[in-house]
Amino acid sequence: VRRAKGGHVLLPEETTVAIVGGGPAGAIAGAYLARAGIDNVIFEREYFPRHHVGESLVAAINAVLHEIGVLEKIDRCGYVRKRGAAWVPKSGRGRFDLQVLPDPPVGGLDYTWHVDRAHFDQVLLEHAASLGSRVEQGCVVTEPWIEEGRVVGATVRRGDEARRVRARFVLDASGRGTFLGSRLRLKQKDPLFDQFAIYGHFQGVDRGEGPAADYIHILFLPTERGWVWRIPLRDGLTSVGVVTEREDFRRDGRDPAAYFERHAHSNPELARVLKGAQLVGKLRTEGDYSYSMARLTGPGFLLVGDAARFVDPIFSSGVSVAAYSAKFATEALLGVLSGAREESEALAAYEARLTAGIAIWYDFIKIYYKLQNLFTYYVRKPDYQQELVRLLQGRVYDPSEISILDRLREDIHTIESTPGHAMQSALTDIPM
Amino acid sequence: VSSAGTLEEEIRRLIIDRLELDVAPAELSLSGHLRDDLGLDSAALLEVVAVLEEAFGVEVDLEDVTVENFRSIRTLAHYVAALRDAGEG
């Protein structure tokens, strides 16, 4: 190991796979590669633990956590066990609870978790390191290193040290920082969604009793496209986040605390459970909402997780997309590095697979915002419930299994095209 | 077979229960406007559809969810009765 004059370890000059970002996508990718004996370095900007939004997982992630051997470790962390979701109408009345369990129950666990991300992300990153990933924190990856149209590495800075790191592949797991997406001008703002979230952790929220006390609660607001997440965390903390259109926040005068307060109290049920609750820490905001990329791969690089695409978080899809994109991307890389697959074919296959999976989430989200009640109507019907549960579990990577979305689209068309239909005014202006 | 009177009352009771409406059955007029009087927004009509389907074993075609059929408890009862007759015939 080479050291600088001050004694700290110097950044490497070369690696097989340089991973930009040590969040779940980067850490899981590093773990898959390290397990296969592929040399990789994870460059993380922060020093963990660090705060991150997105606490509720979906069941499909358990299979990935199991594959990289971290499932039991996660299970011992004491996170609140998630076995379902509840939806509360804007009136506060007529809630709907739905049990959603991992299927199959990988590792014998019939639940996934609501995690505190500062802790969870650190466990994953340390796990990758324990498998052999080299983890370098406090490193800002500033520029891709491009030779003859191929990404061959990146410039990394830590303190006074700057180094060009050469890599056979650069895996961009930089999250909503979208390192390569921005530098290579691939990023496209979503034409339909410009949402915005204000959230915080609270002590003393009335979570209710029984199994649903540990469900994620999605509460609708009278504001169009407005909703709230209520996620039970360990140590009695509850994450509460108001999601609305950014334009609405702009019009409102941009006072986050007042805005949060007003919207959180616009749903009577939320107002009730928040009575007497205390904010722990500060309210935070997240903008820079939904976007996609012109492409997810190119010569020498792949995008994974939020760096590849970000969709509205209403179905808690984020961490599972990070996990599955890391899984699929590293499968492609292992094929190429072993000489079994040709690079352009393997990367194109990865891109097609991930794009199709996220497209299902996106269509589901679009339909949901078009007419929320259509979802709760079908999810109560035994014939359709199983397919909707499969979506909510995050099993979106085999499109042939998902026909319910076609049914929902047909229904929306029927409402739009039937003269005198009583529900036309319920449809939002989202184009289908 | 229930008479029209009890069908209307049953639908009224089911809607109040399912939508957790804070209203006594007697306060909810059978001919009153569901939307204007009860403040049922048009999206909540799918809840009404679900109530009818589950309680009466009928299948509501989405095309039938018209302003005409879903105006009041009374028009709903007519609609359900017609669906049942069609099912029996």
Side-chain angles (χ1 to χ4, degrees), chain A residues 35-59:
Chain A
R35 272 170 80 244
I38 302 296
D39 162 69
N40 67 92
V41 184
I42 300 172
F43 296 102
E44 166 56 43
R45 183 178 54 192
E46 310 281 340
Y47 288 93
F48 278 23
R50 56 90 180 92
H51 172 83
H52 204 285
V53 70
E55 293 132 331
S56 197
L57 306 181
V58 295

mmCIF file of all heavy atoms in Angstrom, chain A residues 35-59:
data_model
loop_
_atom_site.group_PDB
_atom_site.id
_atom_site.type_symbol
_atom_site.label_atom_id
_atom_site.label_comp_id
_atom_site.label_asym_id
_atom_site.label_seq_id
_atom_site.Cartn_x
_atom_site.Cartn_y
_atom_site.Cartn_z
ATOM 1 N N ARG A 35 -17.319 -10.910 -4.541
ATOM 2 C CA ARG A 35 -17.618 -12.341 -4.390
ATOM 3 C C ARG A 35 -17.074 -13.142 -5.567
ATOM 4 O O ARG A 35 -16.681 -14.295 -5.425
ATOM 5 C CB ARG A 35 -19.139 -12.555 -4.366
ATOM 6 C CG ARG A 35 -19.804 -12.467 -3.033
ATOM 7 C CD ARG A 35 -21.312 -12.447 -3.212
ATOM 8 N NE ARG A 35 -21.917 -13.762 -3.428
ATOM 9 C CZ ARG A 35 -22.546 -14.126 -4.552
ATOM 10 N NH1 ARG A 35 -22.627 -13.322 -5.569
ATOM 11 N NH2 ARG A 35 -23.104 -15.313 -4.630
ATOM 12 N N ALA A 36 -17.116 -12.528 -6.748
ATOM 13 C CA ALA A 36 -16.652 -13.225 -7.950
ATOM 14 C C ALA A 36 -15.146 -13.044 -8.155
ATOM 15 O O ALA A 36 -14.603 -13.457 -9.172
ATOM 16 C CB ALA A 36 -17.419 -12.704 -9.163
ATOM 17 N N GLY A 37 -14.492 -12.391 -7.190
ATOM 18 C CA GLY A 37 -13.044 -12.220 -7.282
ATOM 19 C C GLY A 37 -12.607 -11.091 -8.193
ATOM 20 O O GLY A 37 -11.461 -11.033 -8.625
ATOM 21 N N ILE A 38 -13.523 -10.179 -8.510
ATOM 22 C CA ILE A 38 -13.169 -9.052 -9.382
ATOM 23 C C ILE A 38 -12.761 -7.856 -8.521
ATOM 24 O O ILE A 38 -13.515 -7.397 -7.661
ATOM 25 C CB ILE A 38 -14.364 -8.644 -10.275
ATOM 26 C CG1 ILE A 38 -14.837 -9.820 -11.133
ATOM 27 C CG2 ILE A 38 -14.003 -7.432 -11.135
ATOM 28 C CD1 ILE A 38 -13.820 -10.319 -12.136
ATOM 29 N N ASP A 39 -11.564 -7.375 -8.808
ATOM 30 C CA ASP A 39 -11.003 -6.230 -8.101
ATOM 31 C C ASP A 39 -11.861 -4.984 -8.343
ATOM 32 O O ASP A 39 -12.175 -4.665 -9.490
ATOM 33 C CB ASP A 39 -9.575 -6.070 -8.662
ATOM 34 C CG ASP A 39 -8.995 -4.726 -8.380
ATOM 35 O OD1 ASP A 39 -8.722 -4.466 -7.206
ATOM 36 O OD2 ASP A 39 -8.808 -3.941 -9.338
ATOM 37 N N ASN A 40 -12.287 -4.318 -7.292
ATOM 38 C CA ASN A 40 -13.097 -3.102 -7.480
ATOM 39 C C ASN A 40 -12.866 -2.110 -6.353
ATOM 40 O O ASN A 40 -12.522 -2.498 -5.237
ATOM 41 C CB ASN A 40 -14.583 -3.448 -7.607
ATOM 42 C CG ASN A 40 -15.181 -4.006 -6.315
ATOM 43 O OD1 ASN A 40 -15.719 -3.260 -5.487
ATOM 44 N ND2 ASN A 40 -15.079 -5.316 -6.108
ATOM 45 N N VAL A 41 -13.024 -0.843 -6.690
ATOM 46 C CA VAL A 41 -12.875 0.223 -5.695
ATOM 47 C C VAL A 41 -14.153 1.047 -5.676
ATOM 48 O O VAL A 41 -14.662 1.451 -6.728
ATOM 49 C CB VAL A 41 -11.694 1.160 -6.026
ATOM 50 C CG1 VAL A 41 -11.518 2.199 -4.916
ATOM 51 C CG2 VAL A 41 -10.417 0.369 -6.232
ATOM 52 N N ILE A 42 -14.690 1.256 -4.481
ATOM 53 C CA ILE A 42 -15.874 2.103 -4.323
ATOM 54 C C ILE A 42 -15.415 3.467 -3.820
ATOM 55 O O ILE A 42 -14.823 3.575 -2.748
ATOM 56 C CB ILE A 42 -16.866 1.480 -3.315
ATOM 57 C CG1 ILE A 42 -17.318 0.093 -3.796
ATOM 58 C CG2 ILE A 42 -18.072 2.406 -3.099
ATOM 59 C CD1 ILE A 42 -18.152 -0.684 -2.766
ATOM 60 N N PHE A 43 -15.666 4.515 -4.609
ATOM 61 C CA PHE A 43 -15.320 5.875 -4.207
ATOM 62 C C PHE A 43 -16.567 6.559 -3.678
ATOM 63 O O PHE A 43 -17.530 6.767 -4.416
ATOM 64 C CB PHE A 43 -14.774 6.662 -5.400
ATOM 65 C CG PHE A 43 -13.488 6.110 -5.940
ATOM 66 C CD1 PHE A 43 -13.488 5.337 -7.106
ATOM 67 C CD2 PHE A 43 -12.279 6.330 -5.288
ATOM 68 C CE1 PHE A 43 -12.296 4.827 -7.606
ATOM 69 C CE2 PHE A 43 -11.096 5.816 -5.784
ATOM 70 C CZ PHE A 43 -11.099 5.054 -6.945
ATOM 71 N N GLU A 44 -16.563 6.880 -2.403
ATOM 72 C CA GLU A 44 -17.735 7.504 -1.775
ATOM 73 C C GLU A 44 -17.379 8.933 -1.355
ATOM 74 O O GLU A 44 -16.347 9.162 -0.733
ATOM 75 C CB GLU A 44 -18.185 6.662 -0.569
ATOM 76 C CG GLU A 44 -19.167 7.342 0.378
ATOM 77 C CD GLU A 44 -20.442 7.846 -0.295
ATOM 78 O OE1 GLU A 44 -21.002 7.109 -1.123
ATOM 79 O OE2 GLU A 44 -20.857 8.983 0.001
ATOM 80 N N ARG A 45 -18.248 9.861 -1.700
ATOM 81 C CA ARG A 45 -17.992 11.275 -1.423
ATOM 82 C C ARG A 45 -17.985 11.589 0.074
ATOM 83 O O ARG A 45 -17.181 12.346 0.579
ATOM 84 C CB ARG A 45 -19.062 12.103 -2.131
ATOM 85 C CG ARG A 45 -18.884 13.603 -2.002
ATOM 86 C CD ARG A 45 -19.964 14.323 -2.771
ATOM 87 N NE ARG A 45 -21.285 13.869 -2.371
ATOM 88 C CZ ARG A 45 -22.412 14.162 -3.032
ATOM 89 N NH1 ARG A 45 -22.373 14.891 -4.116
ATOM 90 N NH2 ARG A 45 -23.564 13.719 -2.598
ATOM 91 N N GLU A 46 -18.953 10.983 0.805
ATOM 92 C CA GLU A 46 -19.097 11.286 2.232
ATOM 93 C C GLU A 46 -18.262 10.319 3.074
ATOM 94 O O GLU A 46 -17.663 9.383 2.546
ATOM 95 C CB GLU A 46 -20.555 11.112 2.651
ATOM 96 C CG GLU A 46 -21.569 11.798 1.777
ATOM 97 C CD GLU A 46 -21.663 13.285 2.059
ATOM 98 O OE1 GLU A 46 -21.247 13.707 3.160
ATOM 99 O OE2 GLU A 46 -22.143 14.020 1.180
ATOM 100 N N TYR A 47 -18.285 10.570 4.374
ATOM 101 C CA TYR A 47 -17.795 9.571 5.317
ATOM 102 C C TYR A 47 -19.026 8.988 6.007
ATOM 103 O O TYR A 47 -19.806 9.730 6.611
ATOM 104 C CB TYR A 47 -16.836 10.202 6.336
ATOM 105 C CG TYR A 47 -15.495 10.567 5.731
ATOM 106 C CD1 TYR A 47 -15.270 11.852 5.231
ATOM 107 C CD2 TYR A 47 -14.472 9.628 5.634
ATOM 108 C CE1 TYR A 47 -14.061 12.190 4.654
ATOM 109 C CE2 TYR A 47 -13.247 9.962 5.059
ATOM 110 C CZ TYR A 47 -13.052 11.243 4.566
ATOM 111 O OH TYR A 47 -11.854 11.568 3.997
ATOM 112 N N PHE A 48 -19.222 7.696 5.880
ATOM 113 C CA PHE A 48 -20.408 7.062 6.470
ATOM 114 C C PHE A 48 -20.263 6.979 7.976
ATOM 115 O O PHE A 48 -19.138 6.835 8.449
ATOM 116 C CB PHE A 48 -20.587 5.659 5.883
ATOM 117 C CG PHE A 48 -21.288 5.655 4.535
ATOM 118 C CD1 PHE A 48 -21.300 6.774 3.720
ATOM 119 C CD2 PHE A 48 -21.923 4.517 4.082
ATOM 120 C CE1 PHE A 48 -21.942 6.758 2.484
ATOM 121 C CE2 PHE A 48 -22.569 4.484 2.849
ATOM 122 C CZ PHE A 48 -22.577 5.601 2.053
ATOM 123 N N PRO A 49 -21.355 6.987 8.756
ATOM 124 C CA PRO A 49 -22.740 7.090 8.279
ATOM 125 C C PRO A 49 -23.103 8.498 7.834
ATOM 126 O O PRO A 49 -22.584 9.474 8.366
ATOM 127 C CB PRO A 49 -23.556 6.711 9.522
ATOM 128 C CG PRO A 49 -22.697 7.123 10.676
ATOM 129 C CD PRO A 49 -21.279 6.918 10.218
ATOM 130 N N ARG A 50 -23.987 8.557 6.879
ATOM 131 C CA ARG A 50 -24.497 9.844 6.410
ATOM 132 C C ARG A 50 -26.004 9.692 6.182
ATOM 133 O O ARG A 50 -26.508 8.626 5.897
ATOM 134 C CB ARG A 50 -23.777 10.287 5.131
ATOM 135 C CG ARG A 50 -23.840 9.287 3.968
ATOM 136 C CD ARG A 50 -25.035 9.506 3.084
ATOM 137 N NE ARG A 50 -25.119 8.570 1.980
ATOM 138 C CZ ARG A 50 -25.780 7.428 2.008
ATOM 139 N NH1 ARG A 50 -26.397 7.047 3.115
ATOM 140 N NH2 ARG A 50 -25.864 6.659 0.930
ATOM 141 N N HIS A 51 -26.705 10.807 6.308
ATOM 142 C CA HIS A 51 -28.163 10.790 6.144
ATOM 143 C C HIS A 51 -28.558 10.453 4.702
ATOM 144 O O HIS A 51 -27.870 10.825 3.766
ATOM 145 C CB HIS A 51 -28.723 12.165 6.529
ATOM 146 C CG HIS A 51 -30.160 12.305 6.209
ATOM 147 N ND1 HIS A 51 -31.139 11.838 7.045
ATOM 148 C CD2 HIS A 51 -30.789 12.804 5.119
ATOM 149 C CE1 HIS A 51 -32.316 12.058 6.487
ATOM 150 N NE2 HIS A 51 -32.127 12.644 5.319
ATOM 151 N N HIS A 52 -29.674 9.745 4.545
ATOM 152 C CA HIS A 52 -30.258 9.568 3.210
ATOM 153 C C HIS A 52 -31.753 9.324 3.319
ATOM 154 O O HIS A 52 -32.210 8.668 4.249
ATOM 155 C CB HIS A 52 -29.588 8.401 2.475
ATOM 156 C CG HIS A 52 -29.698 8.519 0.976
ATOM 157 N ND1 HIS A 52 -30.854 8.275 0.290
ATOM 158 C CD2 HIS A 52 -28.785 8.875 0.034
ATOM 159 C CE1 HIS A 52 -30.650 8.475 -1.007
ATOM 160 N NE2 HIS A 52 -29.411 8.844 -1.191
ATOM 161 N N VAL A 53 -32.495 9.848 2.342
ATOM 162 C CA VAL A 53 -33.942 9.629 2.306
ATOM 163 C C VAL A 53 -34.223 8.269 1.666
ATOM 164 O O VAL A 53 -33.376 7.722 0.968
ATOM 165 C CB VAL A 53 -34.620 10.777 1.508
ATOM 166 C CG1 VAL A 53 -34.292 10.681 0.022
ATOM 167 C CG2 VAL A 53 -36.122 10.808 1.752
ATOM 168 N N GLY A 54 -35.435 7.738 1.921
ATOM 169 C CA GLY A 54 -35.834 6.487 1.259
ATOM 170 C C GLY A 54 -35.724 5.298 2.180
ATOM 171 O O GLY A 54 -34.890 4.413 1.988
ATOM 172 N N GLU A 55 -36.581 5.247 3.188
ATOM 173 C CA GLU A 55 -36.380 4.291 4.292
ATOM 174 C C GLU A 55 -37.120 2.978 4.141
ATOM 175 O O GLU A 55 -36.779 2.003 4.793
ATOM 176 C CB GLU A 55 -36.816 4.959 5.601
ATOM 177 C CG GLU A 55 -35.896 6.109 5.982
ATOM 178 C CD GLU A 55 -36.627 7.369 6.360
ATOM 179 O OE1 GLU A 55 -37.745 7.603 5.845
ATOM 180 O OE2 GLU A 55 -36.083 8.143 7.161
ATOM 181 N N SER A 56 -38.169 2.980 3.316
ATOM 182 C CA SER A 56 -38.988 1.778 3.255
ATOM 183 C C SER A 56 -38.546 0.899 2.090
ATOM 184 O O SER A 56 -38.398 1.365 0.969
ATOM 185 C CB SER A 56 -40.465 2.166 3.101
ATOM 186 O OG SER A 56 -41.286 1.071 3.437
ATOM 187 N N LEU A 57 -38.321 -0.381 2.380
ATOM 188 C CA LEU A 57 -37.863 -1.309 1.340
ATOM 189 C C LEU A 57 -39.052 -2.062 0.764
ATOM 190 O O LEU A 57 -40.127 -2.074 1.356
ATOM 191 C CB LEU A 57 -36.864 -2.304 1.939
ATOM 192 C CG LEU A 57 -35.673 -1.701 2.681
ATOM 193 C CD1 LEU A 57 -34.759 -2.823 3.182
ATOM 194 C CD2 LEU A 57 -34.890 -0.738 1.790
ATOM 195 N N VAL A 58 -38.871 -2.689 -0.380
ATOM 196 C CA VAL A 58 -39.886 -3.621 -0.878
ATOM 197 C C VAL A 58 -39.303 -5.032 -0.821
ATOM 198 O O VAL A 58 -38.084 -5.230 -0.853
ATOM 199 C CB VAL A 58 -40.398 -3.276 -2.294
ATOM 200 C CG1 VAL A 58 -41.140 -1.955 -2.279
ATOM 201 C CG2 VAL A 58 -39.284 -3.287 -3.314
ATOM 202 N N ALA A 59 -40.230 -6.004 -0.755
ATOM 203 C CA ALA A 59 -39.854 -7.373 -0.409
ATOM 204 C C ALA A 59 -38.818 -8.000 -1.347
ATOM 205 O O ALA A 59 -37.998 -8.822 -0.923
ATOM 206 C CB ALA A 59 -41.106 -8.243 -0.356
#
